[in-house]
Structures are given as C-alpha cells and as structure tokens.
Amino acid sequence: ETAELENVPPEFVEYLRAEGIEELYPPQAEAVEAGVTAGENVVASVPTASGKTLIAQLGMLSTIERGGRALYIVPLRALASEKKAEFEAFEDFGVSVGVSTGNYEASGEWLAEKDIVVATSEKVDSLVRNGAPWIEDVDCVVSDEVHLIDDASRGPTLEVTLAKLRQLNPSLQTVALSATVGNADEIADWLDADLVDSTWRPIDLKKGVHYGDALHLDDGTQRELPTRKNEKQTAAIVRDTLEDGGSSLVFVNSRRNAEAAAERLADTVEPSLSPEEKAELREIAAEIRDVSDTETSDDLADCVERGGAFHHAGLAAEHRSLVEDAFRDRLLKVVSATPTLAAGVNTPSRRVIVRDWRRYDGTAGGMQPLDVLEVHQMMGRAGRPGRDPYGEAVLLAKSHEELDELFDRYVYADPEPVRSKLAAEPALRTHVLATIASGFARSREELLGFLSETLHASQADDPERLEQVADNVIEYLERNEFIEREGEGELSATGLGHTVSRLYLDPMSAAEIVDGLRDIEDGEKPTAMGLYHLVARTPDMYELYLKSGDREEYTEVAYERENEFLGAMPSEFEDVRFEDWLSALKTAEMLEDWAEEIDEDRITAKYGVGPGDVRGKTDTAEWLLNAAEQLAAELDLGVSPSIREARKRVEDGIKEELLELAGVRNVGRKRARRLFDAGIENRADLREADKSVVLGALRGRRKTAETVLENAGRQDPSLEGVNADKSAEAAAA
Ligand code: ADP
C-alpha cells in the first residue's frame, strides 16, 4: 500500500491517493523492495504504461526528502515539458522543478536552485562539457527509456552522460527505466543496480493479426471481423472499434502515408460523430488553422473536423499537442501516426493497428522490417486502464504465409537485446573530444579508463576493438588540430578543440566548416548560398533526399553556381560524395529560398516537406552558422560579418535589405516587407515616417503599430486620431 511508503514526503502519499493510486503496481512494489526509496540503484524493465514514472518519482522524492537533488533525463525534447508539467504537482509541497532544453551552451546557473531538473541527454552532456558546477551536486539521476542506448544516433550521448555523472559523483543513485528488453540484466550489471524485470501490465493486452475476415489473437482465439466490399482492413478495424465505443491508433511508416491514411479513415469516422462532437472538432480545427497558414495545417484541420488526424514529426509542436489532447479527450476517434508517437507520448487507445511493419531504409537499401522492440512499444499503447476493458494490438496480413510470419516475427517474439553503439566513429569522435576538453581524461590511459566504464566496454567481447577505434579517433582529432599530444601520451584540447566541444559540434562538422572558411581568399565575401551549402553538408545537418529528376536538376545548379561553393566540388565520378554534395545543395537552396522571402507554402510544396521541416532546417542552419562565426573568430578569419548576415537572414527569412527593420522587436519577415514596400527602409525611417503610412503598412493594426514605433525608439508612438494611409496598405499588399 502507498500508505506504507517510507522515506518520501507524506504529502506525496496524499497526492497519489488524490490521483487514485492507493496501491503500488507489482513492479513498483518490487522497486521499493530493491531500495529505490533508500538510495539504491535500480533498473526497471517494465512494459509501456505500467507505471514506470512512479518508480522514478519514488527515487527522486526520497532523495529530496533526504536533502538531495534529482535530475530526470528524457529521450525527447517534446517529453521534457510534459514531464515538467507532471512534476509541478509537487510544488504544492515545496519541491521545485526546472526544465532545461534549448540552447546547448548556457550553463543554466538558475537550475542549481531546483530540486528536480528535467533535461534531454544532449542537454545534460552539454552542461557537463560546460562544467556546470551544480551537476556534481546531483544525488539521483533518472534515465527514462534507457533502452534507447541502442539508438545509433542518440544512444552514445546517453551512455556517455550516465558514465560521466556516475564518475563525477560515486555515490549517485541511478534509476533507469526501460521498455521490456531481453538483456536488461546487462544494463543493471553496468549500472551496479538491482533489476526489476517484469512483464506485468495494468490492463490486459491482446496481440494479434488480422487476416481475411477474422482477427487471430495470441491466446489462440479468433474473432470475426469482416471487411466490407471495397473496404481496406484498417478501415474495417477502425469501424469495428467505433461500434464498440473505442478509438484507434494506426502506425504507418511515413509522413505521407500518415496523411493519406488519416484522410481516408476520416471517411469511416465521420458518420458516427454526434452534432456536439462535430461542433467541438470544428473549434479544434480552427485552432489548428490559426497555428500556421500552410497546406499541412489545412489538411490536418480538414481531417480533424471529420474526427481523424495524422501525427508526425513534420507537424508544428502546437499541432502535435492539439492532436494529442483531442485524442486523449476521445474527440478524435482515429489518429494515424509515424512511430514518433509511440516513443513516450502518453496517448493510449483501445486499439492499436500496426499497419506498416516495414520501413524504407536508405542505408540498408529498400524496405526493412521494424525492430521487435519498436513494434512492441507501439502495441503497448493499446488499452486505457480504468477506461477500456482491455487493449488490442493488431498487425495486418495479406496472405496466410504472412499471418504465420507476423506471429513469429512480432507477436511471439522477444525484443532484441540493447547493444551499445559507442564504438561507431562519429559517436566516439564527439565524445572523445568532449572528454578530453572538459578534463575528464588527460591522457590516453585516462581516456581508455573512462571508456572502460561504459556499457560498451561491459558488453564487448573484443575489448581491443574499442581501443583501436579510440586510437583512430585520437589521430583524427590531432590531425584536425582539435587536440594536442604531449609527452607520455598526455592529451589536451587546443583552443579550436575547446570551441568545437563547447559548441556541441560533431568534430567532423567543425573540420568541414574550418576547411571551407579557410578556402575564402583574403578580402573576398562569401555568398549566403556558399555558407548555406557549407553548413548543409556537415553531418550535423540532415540533408534533404534527392528525388527522381533531382540529380539532373541540381547537377545543373551545381555547375552554374560552382564559384560560390566554399571548398572544391567533388567530381561527378565520385558517386557518393557527389550525390551528397547535391543533397546539401538542395538543402542550401531551400534555406536560400527562405532567406529570399519565398512563401513558406511554396517552399513546402517545392521541396515536398512539412512546415516543421522548414523550421527544423532553418534552426539547425542558424545554430551551425553561429558556430561557424565563432570558429572564424577563433581562427582570426575576417569573415564573421558575412556569416552573421547569412545567419540573420535565415533566422528571419528575409533579404539583405530588410536586416535592419527585422532587427526591431515585433517586426518579422512579413511586417518588415510591408513597411519596406511602403517606403520605410530602416529604424530611422520608422522614427520619422508619417504615422498614417506606418499604420497603413501594418494593415491598420493600431496596437501593433504603436508597439513597433515604440520599439524603434520613437518619442511619441501614440496613434490616437491617426488614420491608416490606404495607399501604403495597397503598396504593401
Ligand atoms: P510508463 O511510464 O510505464 O509508460 P506511466 O508511468 O505513464 O507509464 O503510467 C501510466 C498510467 O498509470 C498513468 O496514468 C499513472 O497515473 C497510472 N498509474 C501508475 N501507477 C499506478 C498505480 N499504482 N495505481 C493506479 N494507477 C497507476
């Protein structure tokens, strides 16, 4: 019983009771047995939605009760605010909560005041790199979704971060939460932790495969679930769920498929909506349209009005949360999603349909089956405790052979073991440099010593391989002047190396940028395109893929603009490098279009991406250009002003001539353009212009115009009695 919990604030027990939690779930009770409230290390490998968060809370709050501080590491930025909101309930009994995402550089002094800090592993890593002193005062660290250590791109950061935190504070309590994986015992061994390994779930989960007119379930039973004439399997299952008063979550393998499926499934849902539901959905659709003025936004709103929605990483964050909330409120009856939704966002549903179990994989070539772990996590979203009698997760088979295959591959199969991905060079490059720059390791010996404390070392059957890769990396970093070797294997970072580590760049990105910048002749001014291409071809920028026909088109552009590129263009015969160059060119052209004030809508259509992608790319470019500016300063290259200009243009999406106007607060790309077209070209013009012209250019919006005038430093910004100049309005339109 929760009333018997020791070492936690008594108010927490009351809080749990108010949440309807009187008794611990069995895995939670096991975690208490294992000493989670007594400062012991615990690894909990428990199915999705089975109360892992409470185990973390017990660890954190008992630590705080003893006067300590806690750090909660989330796998996704989107989850940080969700977790923070959840923990803020503890503020009622004096526990303060802070969230640290955003800016990689800030050392976050203010966080030192907080009892609980929520952050992504990248953020924690950067705080360690920047020597944030309070990091050493953390007494309890929680690692949520620790199985993501297996993820090639982000896993190594989590692994290294946990190893560093544990080295900084040998008495640190580590609580690691994992989906059910086969080798949770190895993670527990690595972390010197007790293991809670459970398959218990609060609500029954039936897994199965739909084939023909029946649902075949893992308990050996079958249920009739016929498809109507011309009806797809997914639609039939969604309809069946609706008839039973439930909702469905459909996982598909691409954004485009998510959008297409939502569109079609809304046809299935619409007839069953009540007039009240329709009215509420129309309101949500209006909010969605308000977020942004794009085709995706419109398509999403159209679906939502009819009771369906799509969800993928190309959506704006506001769109995503509107969809998640409406689905949790049961207003939306079906959501089709890419797997991002399975990773942590709490959106249970009566039925989960895993429609696509293969995904296009460029590196492996062609369609590849999803991991068992990933499919199980999607399936785990089925069933809302206390709301549904049970959850049901369904795969779809087209043939009898496929029915058998899916049972073997996913329904009866165990998830893959978690394996460290640290030995991959890109990961080691970054982390070895950071480990040396932050003084964690001052020699090759110390570096190898630190690496031996990682999960990788504890899993490796060939310890010499890690040593070998580490030596390659040391050599690479030395060759690029990021580190220096002195005397007896002593290692230290150069000024450049410190800058790279502090900027959180992949050293390979930094090397590419440094080479490109050094290629600029004295007194020459690089073009925005040249700089955008330079940052677009670093490994820190995800390039846009080339579609059919793109190769020819961008090859032409590449030759036309060859003299703008910084660094030599690879020859067409170097297939892979040339292709990469063209992908970067496509990305750079998108950045340039944005900075040339092309409408967002036209950009998303031209490049076949969502508005979220345009934002994502411009944000990354802004960050990399900022890094380039600092590298240029570090190397005394006189190109910082050009880089700054290119950065500001991509930040605001404006041509050069608007730079000054857009520097005035509350003036974005659209307002700056309207003012400029009405003859107001800079701050001074704003201070002296005819007020009616300003008001006209800002479409008669008085409050906005007054704020803008005030921000431009105008003495008397009041617009009382001023009428908008219609010709300015017309000029701007
Ligand atoms: P996980 O992190 O394992 O995916 P959560 O921690 O989000 O799962 O828990 C899922 C739901 O179960 C939450 O709504 C939570 O409030 C509820 N819950 C957790 N523990 C208990 C409990 N002991 N009794 C009743 N409900 C619980």
Side-chain angles (χ1 to χ4, degrees):
E1 283 197 20
T2 53
E4 289 159 15
L5 281 171
E6 286 174 19
N7 308 336
V8 295
E11 296 94 332
F12 179 56
V13 176
E14 277 160 43
Y15 158 84
L16 289 177
R17 196 167 301 142
E19 291 281 297
I21 300 178
E22 307 255 351
E23 254 181 274
L24 295 178
Y25 285 158
Q28 295 165 344
E30 271 184 64
V32 172
E33 283 287 296
V36 75
T37 56
E40 301 292 335
N41 297 336
V42 173
V43 170
S45 169
V46 180
T48 314
S50 304
K52 285 194 285 286
T53 309
L54 178 54
I55 297 177
Q57 291 170 348
L58 291 171
M60 296 195 296
L61 291 172
S62 57
T63 299
I64 293 165
E65 186 75 353
R66 285 191 293 271
R69 317 186 42 237
L71 176 63
Y72 192 103
I73 303 180
V74 285
L76 286 175
R77 237 206 248 195
L79 288 179
S81 25
E82 194 171 279
K83 284 295 166 196
K84 174 173 183 255
E86 199 174 324
F87 301 152
E88 262 165 0
F90 310 149
E91 291 188 342
D92 287 348
F93 46 93
V95 172
S96 56
V97 185
V99 65
S100 168
T101 50
N103 196 337
Y104 282 126
E105 279 181 73
S107 69
E109 303 298 340
W110 64 278
L111 292 169
E113 312 284 312
K114 303 292 179 186
D115 298 313
I116 299 178
V117 172
V118 182
T120 60
S121 47
E122 285 76 13
K123 182 68 202 186
V124 178
D125 185 25
S126 104
L127 289 165
V128 173
R129 288 186 193 196
N130 288 293
W134 61 270
I135 279 281
E136 290 176 38
D137 300 333
V138 171
D139 304 283
C140 170
V141 63
V142 177
S143 175
D144 197 354
E145 314 255 346
V146 73
H147 57 269
L148 290 174
I149 279 191
D150 191 78
D151 183 274
S153 65
R154 308 190 49 207
T157 302
L158 175 58
E159 181 178 346
V160 166
T161 301
L162 286 175
K164 282 187 180 166
L165 290 172
R166 285 162 53 75
Q167 188 170 326
L168 278 170
N169 177 1
S171 62
L172 177 74
Q173 177 186 19
T174 308
V175 179
L177 311 175
S178 170
T180 33
V181 293
N183 63 338
D185 56 326
E186 290 179 24
I187 302 176
D189 275 350
W190 169 49
L191 296 172
D192 305 309
D194 268 13
L195 176 63
V196 174
D197 196 357
S198 171
T199 51
W200 183 89
R201 284 179 46 105
I203 176 166
D204 230 18
L205 174 63
K206 300 184 187 180
K207 295 180 188 166
V209 180
H210 184 262
Y211 168 61
D213 283 339
L215 196 54
H216 303 251
L217 293 165
D218 56 351
D219 56 10
T221 63
Q222 284 184 24
R223 203 165 54 235
E224 238 181 281
L225 204 167
T227 49
R228 292 177 180 162
K229 197 159 176 270
N230 293 329
E231 188 183 45
K232 302 234 170 158
Q233 281 169 291
T234 313
I237 301 170
V238 168
R239 182 172 48 75
D240 183 75
T241 319
L242 271 173
E243 285 163 8
D244 209 26
S247 58
S248 310
L249 188 53
V250 183
F251 286 106
V252 299
N253 59 9
S254 74
R255 297 174 188 187
R256 192 178 303 224
N257 281 338
E259 296 183 12
E263 171 95 6
R264 270 200 312 275
L265 292 170
D267 290 341
T268 306
V269 171
E270 192 173 13
S272 72
L273 296 173
S274 71
E276 295 76 34
E277 286 176 325
K278 281 189 179 166
E280 285 189 63
L281 287 166
R282 267 197 301 275
E283 271 176 44
I284 298 169
E287 284 184 60
I288 287 173
R289 289 200 171 89
D290 274 349
V291 171
S292 74
D293 186 15
T294 58
E295 213 173 302
T296 310
S297 184
D298 266 344
D299 291 348
L300 181 61
D302 287 348
C303 286
V304 166
E305 277 177 354
R306 303 192 296 134
F310 49 88
H311 186 291
H312 57 59
L315 288 182
E318 295 97 315
H319 281 153
R320 281 207 297 271
S321 52
L322 283 167
V323 168
E324 287 158 22
D325 290 346
F327 190 61
R328 271 193 290 260
D329 293 344
R330 311 209 117 182
L331 274 170
L332 288 173
K333 310 297 180 189
V334 62
V335 169
S336 58
T338 54
T340 42
L341 192 63
V345 187
N346 193 17
T347 46
S349 167
R350 167 82 58 86
R351 266 201 182 124
V352 165
I353 304 168
V354 182
R355 197 196 73 178
D356 301 335
W357 56 276
R358 293 189 188 92
R359 167 168 53 215
Y360 182 78
D361 180 342
T363 36
M367 302 297 280
Q368 296 295 324
L370 300 181
D371 286 347
V372 180
L373 179 58
E374 202 173 352
V375 170
H376 282 189
Q377 278 202 290
M378 296 178 198
M379 292 181 141
R381 294 280 155 212
R384 314 188 193 203
R387 292 253 199 139
D388 293 332
Y390 55 84
E392 236 171 36
V394 189
L395 290 141
L396 310 179
K398 297 265 179 296
S399 65
H400 211 282
E401 291 73 56
E402 201 180 4
L403 174 68
D404 291 340
E405 181 185 356
L406 290 177
F407 261 96
D408 288 342
R409 187 185 275 279
Y410 294 118
V411 178
Y412 295 139
D414 290 325
E416 299 77 9
V418 171
R419 297 242 130 233
S420 166
K421 298 291 188 289
L422 188 61
E425 282 198 23
L428 263 194
R429 263 193 321 254
T430 308
H431 292 296
V432 165
L433 176 59
T435 305
I436 296 168
S438 59
F440 245 84
R442 295 188 173 78
S443 66
R444 179 177 176 277
E445 293 316 304
E446 278 183 23
L447 179 69
L448 293 176
F450 169 68
L451 291 175
S452 75
E453 294 299 315
T454 59
L455 174 66
H456 182 274
S458 72
Q459 285 187 326
D461 8 78
D462 179 10
E464 271 164 32
R465 198 179 119 64
L466 184 63
E467 204 171 316
Q468 201 178 19
V469 184
D471 280 331
N472 289 347
V473 169
I474 291 175
E475 208 254 318
Y476 174 88
L477 295 173
E478 194 186 8
R479 186 154 32 89
N480 284 286
E481 300 164 34
F482 298 142
I483 62 171
E484 285 167 338
R485 246 190 274 230
E486 293 150 30
E488 300 291 295
E490 274 176 46
L491 300 171
S492 63
T494 61
L496 190 59
H498 275 289
T499 305
V500 173
S501 177
R502 189 173 47 79
L503 290 170
Y504 214 81
L505 283 176
D506 179 341
M508 196 176 258
S509 297
E512 184 83 40
I513 291 173
V514 167
D515 285 348
L517 295 180
R518 281 183 170 148
D519 194 49
I520 302 168
E521 314 249 330
D522 262 351
E524 209 181 316
K525 191 173 176 279
T527 63
M529 170 51 106
L531 291 163
Y532 296 155
H533 189 266
L534 179 62
V535 297
R537 62 180 198 251
T538 65
D540 277 311
M541 175 83 86
Y542 287 93
E543 294 161 357
L544 293 173
Y545 290 112
L546 294 182
K547 301 214 175 70
S548 73
D550 279 358
R551 195 183 156 106
E552 293 71 23
E553 184 183 334
Y554 287 101
T555 302
E556 216 166 289
V557 181
Y559 285 116
E560 264 167 36
R561 308 192 67 169
E562 192 174 351
N563 56 4
E564 291 187 60
F565 300 131
L566 309 176
M569 181 157 92
S571 115
E572 273 185 69
F573 299 105
E574 294 175 82
D575 233 12
V576 177
R577 283 194 59 215
F578 190 68
E579 188 104 348
D580 254 6
W581 191 269
L582 296 185
S583 302
L585 178 54
K586 183 175 177 182
T587 312
E589 200 179 77
M590 183 178 102
L591 296 170
E592 190 188 49
D593 280 355
W594 172 248
E596 282 295 317
E597 297 177 46
I598 310 277
D599 273 347
E600 196 175 350
D601 233 5
R602 276 183 53 201
I603 297 181
T604 52
K606 177 172 166 193
Y607 297 94
V609 297
D613 298 308
V614 181
R615 270 279 127 225
K617 293 275 184 300
T618 57
D619 283 353
T620 308
E622 195 187 320
W623 165 59
L624 288 168
L625 287 165
N626 174 53
E629 200 181 321
Q630 301 201 37
L631 291 171
E634 174 73 37
L635 296 169
D636 274 331
L637 302 171
V639 287
S640 297
S642 311
I643 304 176
R644 194 171 322 131
E645 188 181 303
R647 172 172 61 77
K648 287 202 171 137
R649 287 188 53 202
V650 84
E651 183 179 345
D652 291 325
I654 50 170
K655 293 185 187 165
E656 203 180 323
E657 64 198 23
L658 296 188
L659 278 169
E660 186 172 340
L661 275 181
V664 176
R665 273 211 312 163
N666 296 86
V667 180
R669 78 192 299 230
K670 292 198 170 145
R671 286 177 185 162
R673 176 47 63 199
R674 289 195 215 108
L675 287 165
F676 193 91
D677 289 347
I680 298 164
E681 302 189 354
N682 50 40
R683 240 172 227 273
D685 287 354
L686 262 179
R687 283 199 292 265
E688 276 134 39
D690 188 334
K691 284 181 178 175
S692 65
V693 176
V694 176
L695 188 57
L698 296 177
R699 296 184 161 170
R701 294 187 190 219
R702 252 156 231 285
K703 190 83 204 67
T704 309
E706 286 180 350
T707 314
V708 165
L709 287 174
E710 192 177 336
N711 292 341
R714 186 138 182 165
Q715 292 300 342
D716 69 294
S718 163
L719 291 175
E720 230 177 78
V722 176
N723 284 322
D725 173 353
K726 294 293 166 197
S727 62
E729 230 166 304

